[in-house]
Amino acid sequence: LQKVFIFLHVTTSVVIGKTLMILFPNAMKRYILKLGEKSRMNKNPKFSYDNWGPTFFSFKYLLFVLKVKWKRLEDEAHEGCPAPNTPVVTCSGEVRHLFDFMQDNRPLILNFGSCT
């Protein structure tokens, strides 16, 4: 049921966004560039709006957003429920899953940090 709701929400957003891009291209360009400021995407001189802007609200965009949102459903943790077996990347760049690191009945401790 959650996947159906996400599908309807994302599809509606894409149809409305695509319609607005056709009717009001300059206003939508300003809006998308504003979104790029938040993600700092437009700070990179190798990315120009002409390269990535028109991809917003395309069919590929729809499929990508659906894939990401549906994948996040699997990664949600809820109190009292088993933890999700989320994919992680080791320091050597290998993709593994959390449960790969469990040993016998020992608790698995995750420590998150930043090196910035």
Side-chain angles (χ1 to χ4, degrees):
L1 187 60
Q2 286 179 320
K3 283 188 174 185
V4 171
F5 177 73
I6 289 171
F7 175 78
L8 292 174
H9 180 262
V10 172
T11 303
T12 303
S13 299
V14 168
V15 168
I16 291 170
K18 191 64 164 180
T19 303
L20 291 174
M21 281 185 82
I22 293 168
L23 296 176
F24 309 103
N26 293 330
M28 287 303 288
K29 179 178 180 177
R30 285 193 306 272
Y31 173 74
I32 292 170
L33 286 171
K34 201 67 145 163
L35 291 176
E37 287 176 15
K38 291 179 184 177
S39 68
R40 301 175 68 166
M41 184 184 338
N42 58 354
K43 299 284 185 196
N44 187 336
K46 294 182 181 180
F47 290 117
S48 70
Y49 174 82
D50 296 329
N51 291 338
W52 55 267
T55 64
F56 273 67
F57 309 116
S58 66
F59 185 68
K60 283 186 177 183
Y61 173 88
L62 170 72
L63 295 178
F64 175 77
V65 173
L66 284 175
K67 179 181 172 185
V68 169
K69 288 188 175 273
W70 285 346
K71 185 69 178 158
R72 286 186 182 161
L73 284 176
E74 299 169 10
D75 292 342
E76 288 185 13
H78 300 282
E79 188 175 345
C81 297
N85 193 14
T86 304
V88 293
V89 180
T90 65
C91 293
S92 62
E94 181 184 0
V95 177
R96 307 265 308 269
H97 286 82
L98 282 181
F99 295 170
D100 296 340
F101 299 97
M102 294 184 69
Q103 297 175 3
D104 302 321
N105 283 338
R106 294 174 58 191
L108 177 64
I109 298 173
L110 303 175
N111 186 11
F112 298 93
S114 176
C115 298
T116 58

